[in-house]
Amino acid sequence: MDMRQKEETYTVDDIYSLPAGERAELIDGKIYYMSPPSTRHQMLVMDLSYQIKDYIERNKGECEVFPAPFAVFLNENDRNYVEPDISVICDKKKITERGCNGSPDWIIEVVSSSSRQMDYFKKLFRYRTAGVREYWVVDPEKKIVTVYNFEKDMMDEYCFGLEVPVGIYNALTIKVQ
């Protein structure tokens, strides 16, 4: 007799059924609850979002920038729902009233102590396999930005205060402080 317990699999419907104010993400059918972000976290998200949006507008670009909370349905199935800290989406057909259907071109996650494992491992794998072109992990504790350029199969690290080149835009660099 097989004594293993079956792990319950959740769907996007379960995420939308959570009590008001409770936030969670869904990766491969497993729910991961989210802690409220710190002030430093939110300041970084706002600053980065502003720099990206300003660049796009000055260059009359087509991409859109969405800070969290913003729903991203990574795959065609109902088992992957994430809320990246920043999503940059260049294919406007992916944008709906509910969020983004498919992978954004560029995702930025700002690491907190409670999200470290998710951002560096689970999301890294999920974003890469879903077709995200570029993924940044901004770590305020270590003061490092880890850049994964999936199109070129490259990873680089930059200290806070340095200009970080953006892979999806040739002329854009961002200073994270």
Side-chain angles (χ1 to χ4, degrees):
M1 176 147 89
D2 189 355
M3 300 301 278
R4 290 178 290 173
Q5 289 185 332
K6 181 183 180 254
E7 189 173 309
E8 191 160 353
T9 300
Y10 297 93
T11 68
V12 171
D13 290 337
D14 295 306
I15 293 292
Y16 280 98
S17 297
L18 292 173
E22 193 165 341
R23 289 181 54 214
E25 294 179 305
L26 183 69
I27 298 178
D28 298 327
K30 186 171 181 185
I31 291 180
Y32 297 91
Y33 293 93
M34 299 165 65
S35 300
S38 70
T39 301
R40 178 170 59 170
H41 179 281
Q42 290 302 87
M43 289 173 72
L44 280 165
V45 169
M46 287 303 297
D47 182 55
L48 291 167
S49 297
Y50 174 79
Q51 288 185 65
I52 297 164
K53 181 74 172 170
D54 181 60
Y55 174 83
I56 292 169
E57 286 180 355
R58 279 187 291 112
N59 291 280
K60 299 179 180 21
E62 295 294 316
C63 302
E64 296 289 341
V65 181
F66 295 94
F70 180 73
V72 173
F73 306 91
L74 283 174
N75 304 96
E76 296 292 321
N77 64 39
D78 61 352
R79 289 179 171 42
N80 288 287
Y81 166 96
V82 292
E83 292 183 6
D85 290 318
I86 301 172
S87 300
V88 178
I89 303 155
C90 301
D91 181 353
K92 292 193 180 183
K93 289 180 263 167
K94 291 181 178 181
I95 301 169
T96 70
E97 284 300 310
R98 286 185 68 187
C100 176
N101 289 321
S103 60
D105 294 87
W106 179 18
I107 289 178
I108 299 174
E109 294 284 8
V110 178
V111 176
S112 64
S113 56
S114 63
S115 71
R116 189 166 296 283
Q117 287 289 99
M118 285 291 291
D119 295 337
Y120 277 108
F121 299 104
K122 282 197 184 308
K123 287 184 177 179
L124 170 66
F125 175 76
R126 181 53 47 222
Y127 292 159
R128 181 182 192 121
T129 58
V132 171
R133 295 168 55 199
E134 185 165 353
Y135 175 45
W136 287 21
V137 180
V138 177
D139 194 326
E141 187 178 303
K142 294 180 179 180
K143 295 186 174 98
I144 290 176
V145 179
T146 306
V147 175
Y148 298 93
N149 184 324
F150 298 135
E151 290 181 316
K152 295 182 179 175
D153 200 27
M154 292 175 51
M155 186 274 287
D156 288 303
E157 288 187 336
Y158 300 86
C159 294
F160 275 30
L162 296 177
E163 294 286 334
V164 181
V166 177
I168 69 165
Y169 294 113
N170 292 332
L172 175 59
T173 61
I174 292 180
K175 188 180 283 190
V176 181
Q177 305 195 89

